[in-house]
């Protein structure tokens, strides 16, 4: 496949970015989207090391920076906005699980970083998602120390509840929900954690306090409010649904009543 | 310097060693813990659980990871599960049985005392994770569910869908976050350790590169813990994450920590086959699939030909024309033989011409029998996300047609040598999880990596490190202006300047791919003397080429992934040589290390207990010099050494 790529380039957080256009050739439809970017980068590096091309005015900005790691859809590192969709034109995938067979020969593909005030750009397609860590540090845990805990089978948990909790726990913290939301809200991310823990007897104890602390931190860090457009669940690679937001709201309101 | 290899295994009966040892370890009182600083490198299961537990105890912890968040460490990718000797299934499991199966699975090349302790604390791990809110799979009665893994005759693997590693890491990361909020742990994401700093022979700090700004920074402490994982990416193509690397461990080796059994690398039998030369990494299909999947190739060559030409579908081949070769060769364990055995068996069939895809390097993993028995819904509930992952990558529906799989590099059993306290040969330097060598011998059993990472981090290191730190109470805070830091930083800067200035003709990835080919060809699933000797020469040549002709794009004082890769590859080019050297010296076959010269008549590994029942610990002797081999004899007081048998 031969493709035209319009890629967001930005030297660092302080400079203004712009799109650059590149062509890549002979891409296998079985390659993943990130492998296609690897090929682009090898090409850009070779252009950069060619003194003749540089003399002729080739102004390569070097290889494109993008976050990636496990390349099997679980680490949540990859974070590309492709043709106007978080993780590109396929459902329930991360960018590393997107394959070139989803595109046609001759296509032009636009590649941008996550765009949200909560996620400042570090370089090119790489953004800073430390805000997510900070939200979880505000209360996304159960307050137990190592050791001195009861046997794992002491408290039975119904199969259905364990599965529902797992549905929320499946969130990989990639940030597609925030990037997709027109308000830049992190509600789905926060709700997945709050709801997953609140469903379990172990997490129920601190549920209201947790909800309040995490929502307050989310607001403080500049994420927008939720207006129930449900765009987030459409783009979530792990199929986390807005039913978790409903559960978050319940915990949040119950915390407010207790005040 | 052989006296450095003191394993510190406590005296006394096996089952009492750890209890007795704990009672004799020194402890640090709470007031003094506040004065002591610990650096932890890596935030996977080992690093995150250790840092969280040490923070809870009151120590001052600094934790470093190369990703943008601790949660993305590669432990997250472990799919299948975690072993624990709970005997919840009433199938006669016990600490002893888990211990025994782990030693046997490792082909009698791991330490009895360490493995017994691992089995002993395994149950606590499950309790801890449940208390943290890990949503393990549950039965309808509300109790924890189990499944079976390779090399085990009982059902002791706990799991959370196909995302067990992720869920356990989220538990440890949550505990870590709680300590970060409490101020006992400070987190440094997007930081890479580039050197270990030693003062008066003790580990006292690190030099790290801030991956966002490119700044070189100094960090001091009273002890350093390496939890940076394995070195499987030496092979370029592996199931490891793209950024997983051996560099932190390797800097420790170059500063004097012995490196043990580097040739013991695990090749996982069930990975998605290589599709072409644009491929960047290999995807693992969980071992749990072997609970219900049956592995086969056609019996007839003409069926193989038709499959390769896509004239027939696998489901067109009649039952009697299928060779379920694992069930045929290993009736007692069938499809659940250990990984090294399953991998070699796949290679044997493919080498004999029965590989089922165009490249001839694939076998089938078939669920049709299980779907007939249990229904598609039950299979979806068990493995839904794995099936989805497979379909996304290959565009084949595994509910209808069998998966195609082939072995790939997955895990490294070798690593930094540690004693019973998990301390390396450098005082104050500890290594935990995949980064050390101690528990898995020549082959790791499935679902045991998660167990070891968390055992080390939650329940072992927090006790043993206190024994060392008790002697550090009177020592002042480490001064990062000390000449040792100055010198280490200068060396790191010089290395980076050198790399940036070469401006050669080859990209980092091009050279890494070539290293990968050498490793897979000569230091892969089957090794021999001539090949290993050749590999050492080829790697040395490639290393020279790298240092004279690599091109590192970008700037050193900015976010630069090419520079990150180049620094890691510089180390892989040395690690690969040590792996080959170790494989050459170990003239026996055991576990994942298969020397073609040493095999039984039916192609099984042939150990040489008389000459090789030891841990090979290598000491760095300086650039261009051959490393020195030290031997730690393995003593089996409780297990009868036998030929590993999975046939009956």
């Amino acid at each position: 496949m031969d493709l035209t790529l319009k890629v967001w380039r930005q030297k660092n957080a302080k400079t203004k970015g712009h799109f650059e256009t590149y062509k890549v050739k002979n891409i296998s439809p079985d390659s993943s989207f990130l492998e296609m970017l690897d090929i682009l980068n090898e090409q850009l590096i070779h252009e950069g090391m060619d003194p003749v091309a540089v003399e002729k005015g080739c102004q390569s900005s070097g290889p494109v920076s993008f976050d990636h790691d496990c390349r099997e859809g679980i680490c949540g590192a990859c974070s590309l906005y492709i043709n106007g969709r978080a993780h590109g034109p396929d459902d329930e995938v991360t960018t590393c699980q997107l394959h070139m067979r989803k595109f046609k020969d001759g296509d032009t593909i636009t590649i941008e970083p996550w765009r949200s005030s909560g996620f400042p750009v570090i370089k090119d397609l790489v953004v800073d998602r430390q805000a997510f860590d900070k939200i979880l540090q505000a209360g996304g845990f159960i307050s137990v120390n190592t050791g001195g805990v009861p046997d794992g089978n002491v408290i039975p948990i119904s199969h259905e509840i364990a599965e529902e909790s797992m549905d929320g726990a499946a969130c990989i913290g990639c940030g597609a929900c925030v990037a997709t939301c027109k308000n830049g809200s992190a509600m789905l991310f926060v709700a997945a954690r709050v709801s997953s823990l609140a469903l379990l007897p172990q997490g129920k104890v601190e549920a209201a306090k947790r909800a309040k602390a995490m929502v307050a931190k989310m607001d403080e860090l500049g994420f927008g409010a939720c207006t129930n457009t449900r765009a987030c669940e459409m783009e979530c690679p792990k199929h986390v649904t807005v039913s978790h937001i409903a559960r978050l709201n319940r915990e949040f309101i119950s915390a407010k009543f207790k005040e | 310097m052989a006296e450095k290899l003191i394993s510190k295994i406590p005296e006394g009966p096996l089952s009492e060693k750890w209890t007795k040892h704990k009672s004799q370890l020194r402890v640090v009182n709470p007031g003094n813990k506040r004065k002591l600083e610990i650096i932890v490198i890596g935030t996977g299961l080992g690093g995150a659980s250790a840092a969280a537990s040490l923070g809870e105890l009151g120590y001052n912890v600094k934790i470093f990871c190369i990703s943008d968040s601790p949660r993305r460490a590669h432990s997250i990718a472990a799919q299948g599960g975690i072993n624990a000797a709970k005997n919840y299934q009433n199938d006669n499991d016990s600490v002893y049985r888990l211990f025994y199966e782990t030693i046997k699975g490792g082909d009698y090349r791991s330490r009895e005392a360490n493995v017994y302790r691992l089995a002993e604390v395994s149950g606590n791990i499950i309790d801890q994770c449940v208390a943290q809110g890990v949503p393990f799979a549950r039965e309808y009665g509300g109790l924890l569910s189990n499944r079976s893994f390779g090399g085990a005759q009982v059902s002791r693997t706990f799991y959370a869908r196909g995302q067990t590693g992720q869920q356990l890491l989220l538990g440890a990361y949550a505990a870590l976050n709680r300590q970060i909020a409490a101020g006992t742990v400070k987190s440094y994401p997007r930081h890479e350790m580039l050197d270990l700093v030693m003062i008066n022979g003790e580990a006292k700090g690190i030099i790290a590169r801030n991956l966002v700004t490119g700044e070189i920074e100094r960090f001091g402490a009273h002890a350093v813990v390496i939890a940076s994982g394995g070195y499987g990416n030496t092979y370029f193509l592996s199931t490891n994450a793209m950024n997983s690397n051996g560099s932190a461990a390797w800097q420790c080796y170059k500063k004097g920590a012995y490196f043990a059994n580097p040739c013991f690398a695990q090749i996982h039998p069930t990975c998605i086959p290589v599709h072409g030369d644009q491929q960047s990494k290999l995807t693992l299909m969980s071992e749990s699939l072997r609970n219900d999947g049956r592995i086969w190739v056609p019996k007839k060559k003409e069926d193989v030909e038709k499959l390769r030409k896509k004239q027939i579908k696998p489901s067109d081949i009649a039952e009697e024309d299928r060779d379920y070769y694992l069930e045929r060769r290993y009736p007692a364990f069938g499809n659940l033989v250990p990984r090294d055995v399953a991998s070699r068996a796949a290679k044997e069939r493919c080498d004999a011409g029965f590989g089922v895809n165009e490249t001839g390097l694939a076998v089938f993993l078939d669920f049709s029998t299980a779907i007939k028995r249990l229904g598609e819904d039950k299979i979806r509930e068990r493995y839904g996300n794995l099936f989805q992952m497979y379909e996304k990558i290959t565009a084949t529906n595994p509910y209808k047609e069998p998966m195609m799989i082939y072995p790939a590099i997955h895990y490294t059993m070798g690593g930094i040598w540690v004693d019973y306290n998990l301390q390396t040969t450098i005082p104050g330097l500890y290594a935990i999880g995949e980064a050390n060598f101690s528990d898995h011998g020549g082959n790791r059993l499935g679902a045991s990596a998660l167990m070891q990472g968390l055992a080390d981090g939650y329940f072992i290191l927090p006790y043993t490190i206190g024994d060392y730190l008790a002697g550090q109470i009177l020592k002042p805070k480490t001064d990062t202006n000390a000449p040792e830091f100055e010198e280490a930083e200068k060396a790191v800067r010089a290395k980076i300047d050198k790399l940036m200035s070469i401006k050669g003709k080859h990209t980092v990835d091009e050279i890494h791919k070539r290293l990968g080919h050498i490793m897979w060809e000569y230091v892969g699933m089957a090794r021999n003397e001539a090949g290993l000797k050749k590999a050492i020469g080829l790697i040395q040549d490639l290393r020279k080429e790298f240092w004279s002709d690599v091109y590192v794009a970008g700037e050193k004082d900015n976010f630069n992934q090419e520079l990150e890769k180049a620094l890691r590859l510089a180390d892989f080019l040395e690690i690969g040589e040590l792996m080959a050297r170790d494989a050459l010296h170990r003239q026996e076959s055991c576990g994942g290390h298969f020397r073609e010269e040493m095999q039984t008549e039916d192609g099984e590994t042939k150990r040489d207990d008389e000459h090789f029942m030891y841990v090979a610990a290598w000491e760095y002797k300086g650039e261009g010099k051959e490393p020195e081999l030290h031997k730690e004899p393995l003593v089996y007081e409780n297990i009868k050494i036998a030929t590993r048998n999975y046939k009956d």
Side-chain angles (χ1 to χ4, degrees):
Chain A
M1 299 166 77
D2 295 347
L3 302 159
T4 303
L5 308 173
K6 285 176 69 182
V7 184
W8 184 259
R9 302 306 306 261
Q10 185 172 336
K11 194 173 177 198
N12 54 41
K14 292 178 197 107
T15 51
K16 235 176 120 184
H18 61 280
F19 281 103
E20 275 182 30
T21 305
Y22 306 107
K23 297 222 183 272
V24 286
K25 291 194 165 73
N26 297 321
I27 301 296
S28 156
D30 288 329
S31 285
S32 73
F33 196 83
L34 297 185
E35 285 165 353
M36 185 275 292
L37 285 183
D38 291 340
I39 292 163
L40 169 68
N41 274 345
E42 290 292 289
Q43 189 178 310
L44 292 176
I45 296 168
H46 275 287
E47 282 170 14
M49 67 173 88
D50 178 3
V52 182
V54 174
E55 214 163 277
K56 279 184 185 163
C58 163
Q59 294 189 341
S60 168
S61 320
V64 180
S65 298
F66 58 96
D67 264 327
H68 64 97
D69 200 14
C70 79
R71 296 211 179 184
E72 48 189 81
I74 193 71
C75 75
C78 55
S79 49
L80 305 182
Y81 219 67
I82 301 161
N83 287 346
R85 276 186 76 180
H87 297 301
D90 196 357
D91 297 328
E92 290 184 34
V93 290
T94 56
T95 303
C96 63
Q97 292 174 299
L98 176 68
H99 281 73
M100 296 314 294
R101 64 180 83 94
K102 294 282 168 188
F103 298 91
K104 290 193 301 289
D105 186 36
D107 274 0
T108 297
I109 306 173
T110 306
I111 310 166
E112 300 167 81
W114 281 171
R115 295 206 184 278
S116 164
S117 56
F119 297 153
V121 171
I122 288 176
K123 188 175 182 226
D124 297 338
L125 304 170
V126 177
V127 298
D128 182 350
R129 281 171 290 193
Q130 282 191 59
F132 270 12
D133 287 333
K134 287 180 185 147
I135 291 173
L136 291 175
Q137 283 156 18
F141 46 76
I142 293 174
S143 301
V144 289
N145 281 354
T146 303
V149 298
D151 184 272
N153 259 347
V154 160
I155 308 171
I157 300 171
S158 85
H159 177 81
E160 293 77 8
I161 292 291
E163 290 297 309
E164 229 179 314
S165 173
M166 182 61 224
D167 289 342
C171 166
I172 55 175
C174 66
C177 48
V178 174
T180 301
C181 177
K182 69 185 174 73
N183 307 318
S185 172
M187 272 301 258
L188 193 66
F189 169 77
V190 173
R193 188 69 183 152
V194 168
S195 150
S196 169
L197 290 179
L199 279 161
L200 302 171
Q202 291 86 354
K204 190 69 200 162
V205 184
E206 298 169 278
K209 189 177 148 211
R210 178 184 303 119
K212 223 178 91 184
M214 288 176 68
V215 169
K217 185 54 93 176
M218 171 179 78
D219 291 345
E220 181 197 317
L221 293 171
F223 290 98
C226 172
T227 51
N228 297 307
T229 66
R230 301 177 69 173
C232 51
E233 76 173 5
M234 296 299 291
E235 293 300 353
C236 174
K238 296 294 156 188
H239 194 56
V240 175
T241 65
V242 295
S243 62
H244 296 285
I245 296 184
R247 206 170 286 116
L248 164 66
N249 287 334
R250 195 171 73 191
E251 294 301 339
F252 187 75
I253 290 164
S254 107
K256 286 283 171 196
F257 271 122
K258 279 180 194 157
E259 274 176 8
Chain B
M1 299 281 277
E3 68 274 16
K4 274 194 185 173
L5 284 190
I6 301 164
S7 62
K8 294 193 181 150
I9 294 169
E11 297 292 319
L14 187 64
S15 61
E16 291 165 25
K17 282 183 196 284
W18 177 230
T19 309
K20 190 177 151 221
H21 187 68
K22 276 192 291 186
S23 70
Q24 290 168 353
L25 288 170
R26 288 180 292 174
V27 292
V28 180
N29 85 25
N32 283 329
K33 284 192 181 109
R34 283 195 290 274
K35 297 179 201 153
L36 294 168
E37 294 182 299
I38 304 168
I39 283 172
V40 178
I41 306 298
T43 59
L45 288 177
S49 62
S53 303
L54 293 168
E56 288 162 10
L57 289 172
Y59 293 110
N60 280 298
V61 183
K62 297 187 188 92
I63 189 162
F64 296 81
C65 69
I66 54 176
S67 347
D68 69 331
S69 163
R71 67 179 295 157
R72 303 202 203 287
H74 193 52
S75 301
I76 207 159
Q79 299 163 351
I82 176 165
N83 289 329
K86 282 286 200 184
N87 192 33
Y88 283 162
Q89 305 305 322
N90 196 33
D91 51 4
N92 197 8
D93 194 13
S94 62
V95 168
Y96 185 86
R97 193 176 296 279
L98 174 53
F99 153 73
Y100 171 76
E101 290 184 339
T102 306
I103 294 267
K104 178 185 172 190
D107 217 354
Y108 306 92
R109 290 293 175 265
S110 45
R111 272 195 208 134
E112 271 194 348
N114 286 56
V115 176
Y116 193 87
R117 174 176 65 185
L118 175 66
E120 214 176 335
V121 302
S122 65
N124 299 353
I125 297 171
I126 302 304
D127 303 339
Q128 189 63 37
C129 296
V130 168
Q132 289 168 345
V134 170
F136 283 118
R138 301 260 172 182
E139 299 298 340
Y140 284 97
L143 301 186
L144 292 159
S145 182
N146 287 121
R147 56 187 174 203
S148 308
F149 256 60
Q153 284 188 308
V154 296
S155 216
R156 67 161 76 90
T157 305
F158 295 79
Y159 63 101
R161 245 170 244 171
Q163 308 173 7
T164 315
Q166 191 207 16
Q167 294 311 314
L168 298 179
L169 187 59
L170 288 181
Y173 162 72
L176 182 67
N177 278 336
R178 181 166 159 255
Q179 292 310 306
I180 293 170
T184 58
V185 178
K186 190 158 169 33
S187 169
Y188 294 88
R190 294 200 197 267
H191 273 71
E192 182 153 15
M193 167 179 161
L194 294 183
D195 207 354
L196 174 76
V197 182
M198 285 168 54
I199 298 179
N200 297 329
E202 294 180 316
K204 287 290 177 201
I206 62 160
I207 305 293
R209 182 167 180 269
N210 178 327
L211 300 181
V212 176
T213 63
E215 282 165 273
I216 306 298
E217 300 171 10
R218 305 175 186 184
F219 298 92
H222 294 90
V224 177
V225 180
I226 302 295
S228 54
Y231 46 92
N233 268 344
T234 309
Y235 292 78
F236 187 73
L237 285 182
S238 83
T239 66
N240 286 188
M242 299 298 284
N243 297 318
S244 299
N245 66 82
S247 288
W250 198 246
Q251 305 320 318
C252 297
Y253 166 71
K254 291 177 91 169
K255 284 281 164 97
Y258 292 3
F259 208 93
N261 298 336
C263 80
F264 287 161
Q266 177 163 78
I267 295 171
H268 197 295
T270 54
C271 301
I272 298 178
V274 177
H275 65 68
D277 55 10
Q278 296 186 353
Q279 190 141 354
S280 61
K281 78 153 275 175
L282 297 170
T283 303
L284 174 75
M285 287 283 107
S286 169
E287 178 157 313
S288 61
L289 293 168
R290 288 199 271 146
N291 268 282
D292 289 305
R294 299 176 71 197
I295 295 177
W296 64 278
V297 294
K299 280 182 186 164
K300 298 183 195 154
K301 283 265 168 78
E302 60 256 39
D303 285 341
V304 173
E305 287 310 314
K306 283 181 197 157
L307 280 170
R308 289 185 185 175
K309 289 180 189 144
K310 300 208 162 85
Q311 290 163 344
I312 53 169
K313 289 189 301 225
S315 53
D316 295 335
I317 297 172
E319 192 62 28
E320 62 271 20
D321 292 330
R322 301 175 176 196
D323 176 14
Y324 295 95
Y325 57 86
L326 288 177
E327 297 170 30
R328 167 170 61 79
R329 286 178 64 180
Y330 308 100
F333 281 71
N335 293 293
L336 281 173
V337 290
R339 291 174 176 175
D340 59 324
V341 178
S343 290
R344 272 193 298 277
K347 182 180 188 313
E348 187 275 329
R349 280 295 82 191
C350 291
D351 288 351
F354 291 93
V356 295
N357 67 354
E358 297 93 331
T359 61
L361 297 174
V363 299
F364 290 128
L365 176 62
D366 196 327
F367 295 86
S368 55
T369 314
I371 289 173
K372 243 177 256 159
R373 189 176 77 239
L374 302 163
E376 204 174 299
D377 285 346
K378 191 77 198 167
I379 294 298
R380 184 169 285 111
E381 191 186 306
R382 284 185 189 167
Y383 313 111
N385 67 320
L386 300 173
F387 276 46
Q388 184 228 19
M389 186 195 283
Y390 183 86
E391 187 167 359
K392 291 285 180 197
I393 293 173
T394 63
T396 305
N397 176 357
Y399 295 100
K400 303 283 174 233
E401 293 294 335
M403 291 181 177
M404 281 201 266
I405 52 161
Y406 197 67
I409 291 287
H410 179 56
Y411 184 91
T412 47
M413 282 74 69
I416 306 176
W417 186 90
V418 289
D419 63 17
Y420 190 69
N421 287 332
L422 306 179
Q423 186 167 235
T424 69
T425 48
I426 295 175
L429 181 70
Y430 289 76
I432 61 175
E434 189 180 352
N436 76 23
F437 87 101
S438 68
D439 294 351
H440 306 298
N443 173 58
R444 179 176 63 74
L445 290 184
S448 284
L450 304 185
M451 173 172 69
Q452 189 218 339
L454 291 180
D456 288 356
Y458 283 135
F459 299 113
I460 301 170
L461 183 83
Y463 288 78
T464 59
I465 203 171
D467 192 57
Y468 173 78
L469 290 171
Q472 296 281 318
I473 292 167
L474 295 176
K475 301 216 173 146
K477 208 173 142 99
T478 298
D479 177 15
T480 54
N481 291 316
E484 289 85 351
F485 276 91
E486 188 76 47
E487 202 179 306
E489 184 184 321
K490 228 171 94 188
V492 163
R493 287 185 187 279
K495 189 175 179 184
I496 291 173
D497 287 340
K498 167 79 180 147
L499 281 172
M500 298 303 299
S501 69
I502 298 169
K503 299 276 175 217
K505 292 189 296 296
H506 302 294
T507 68
V508 178
D509 277 0
E510 283 164 7
I511 296 178
H512 198 168
K513 280 183 189 181
R514 282 165 60 195
L515 174 65
H517 282 300
I518 298 170
M519 294 300 294
W520 185 245
E521 182 70 24
Y522 303 109
V523 200
M525 257 193 288
R527 304 153 175 191
N528 61 56
E529 188 180 339
L532 289 165
K533 284 183 175 158
K534 189 170 173 192
I536 292 171
L538 289 171
I539 295 168
Q540 286 170 344
D541 291 346
L542 190 61
R543 197 161 62 227
K544 274 187 210 122
E545 196 176 334
F546 171 81
W547 282 105
S548 60
D549 209 13
V550 73
Y551 183 90
V552 184
E555 303 125 2
K556 66 176 177 181
D557 51 357
N558 194 2
F559 188 88
N560 186 347
Q561 292 167 316
E562 286 299 309
L563 176 58
E564 292 171 29
K565 285 194 292 188
L567 284 162
R568 294 167 195 160
L569 178 57
D571 295 328
F572 285 136
L573 284 161
E574 296 178 8
I575 297 172
E577 184 183 332
L578 190 69
M579 290 176 77
R581 222 172 253 289
D582 186 44
L584 179 64
H585 117 278
R586 192 170 278 280
Q587 294 176 43
E588 64 163 350
S589 293
C590 81
H593 170 62
F594 189 71
R595 281 286 297 264
E596 285 169 344
E597 306 95 319
M598 295 89 183
Q599 54 180 307
T600 63
E601 270 170 29
D602 44 2
E604 305 294 340
T605 52
K606 198 168 163 189
R607 285 199 327 261
D608 180 352
D609 292 337
E610 196 190 328
H611 299 103
F612 291 96
M613 204 154 71
Y614 60 76
V615 176
W618 297 88
E619 182 187 5
Y620 183 68
K621 289 300 216 185
E623 209 178 313
K625 295 196 182 120
E626 286 203 9
E628 187 182 338
L629 174 66
H630 302 275
K631 298 173 183 178
E632 180 204 335
L634 288 164
V635 183
Y636 292 92
E637 291 170 339
N638 299 276
I639 278 185
K640 198 171 148 274
I641 306 294
T643 300
R644 217 166 42 144
N645 176 7
Y646 293 100
K647 292 177 192 292
D648 45 50

